[in-house]
Amino acid sequence: RTTNTNPAIGPAAPISGFFTASGHGNPDEKSFPHPAVKVSFHGGQGEDNNLVGMLDPGADLCTIDQGLADRLDLEDGGEMPVILAGHKSVRIMKKGTILLAGHEYTLSGKFSAAPLRESGNQYDILLGMDFLRHFSLYVNAKTDEVKITFLGID
């Protein structure tokens, strides 16, 4: 994965986020809103500039929605073996670039594709630590505040 390494991109003012609507596709379990920000995704046959990126510091890597990958006809990036909840699996990778709305920061590379929206989730991209490691996150569920502040490139 590569990030925008422009040295002129330094710490910036916080970008306000929001909480998604609750919902995850399983009516037998309670669901909760998730902290999120607006993002764009570029690759393949175009771009989508009106996407929801859920902040997930518990995930190592970003994941994009399979429907988004199909809609943009993203180039295949091979397969990646993963272990989820103790079970071995293989994730299909797709090439592209994630852009944070209102900021110059980008992350380009191969991203696993999964049926996020089809599973009832209210987001298009799961933003893992490969993206979030350059940011300070502030999330307050009581006041519905979400702020993400760019800290700079390592």
Side-chain angles (χ1 to χ4, degrees):
R1 304 251 164 101
T2 59
T3 59
N4 182 341
T5 56
N6 179 351
I9 300 175
I15 292 173
S16 294
F18 54 93
F19 280 87
T20 65
S22 12
H24 55 56
N26 185 347
D28 296 330
E29 291 185 22
K30 183 169 175 58
S31 65
F32 298 94
H34 294 102
V37 291
K38 288 289 186 187
V39 294
S40 297
F41 194 89
H42 296 192
Q45 299 299 313
E47 59 189 59
D48 192 328
N49 296 312
N50 192 28
L51 301 172
V52 175
M54 186 196 56
L55 308 178
D56 188 355
D60 287 333
L61 303 174
C62 295
T63 299
I64 63 170
D65 180 58
Q66 182 64 54
L68 172 66
D70 293 344
R71 200 167 55 250
L72 296 180
D73 193 24
L74 297 179
E75 182 181 345
D76 285 336
E79 296 180 344
M80 179 177 76
V82 295
I83 298 176
L84 300 170
H87 300 282
K88 291 181 180 180
S89 180
V90 173
R91 286 279 175 97
I92 303 300
M93 306 298 284
K94 298 290 184 173
K95 294 181 181 180
T97 301
I98 299 172
L99 301 90
L100 177 62
H103 198 276
E104 294 180 44
Y105 178 76
T106 63
L107 180 65
S108 297
K110 299 175 187 177
F111 303 97
S112 68
L116 301 176
R117 287 284 184 174
E118 184 180 312
S119 300
N121 294 302
Q122 303 299 309
Y123 50 87
D124 307 287
I125 299 177
L126 186 149
L127 298 172
M129 286 306 296
D130 54 341
F131 187 91
L132 298 174
R133 68 191 179 101
H134 301 292
F135 293 87
S136 169
L137 307 178
Y138 175 78
V139 177
N140 186 328
K142 291 259 187 221
T143 61
D144 287 338
E145 286 181 273
V146 176
K147 294 192 186 299
I148 179 170
T149 305
F150 184 69
L151 300 175
I153 303 293
D154 302 321

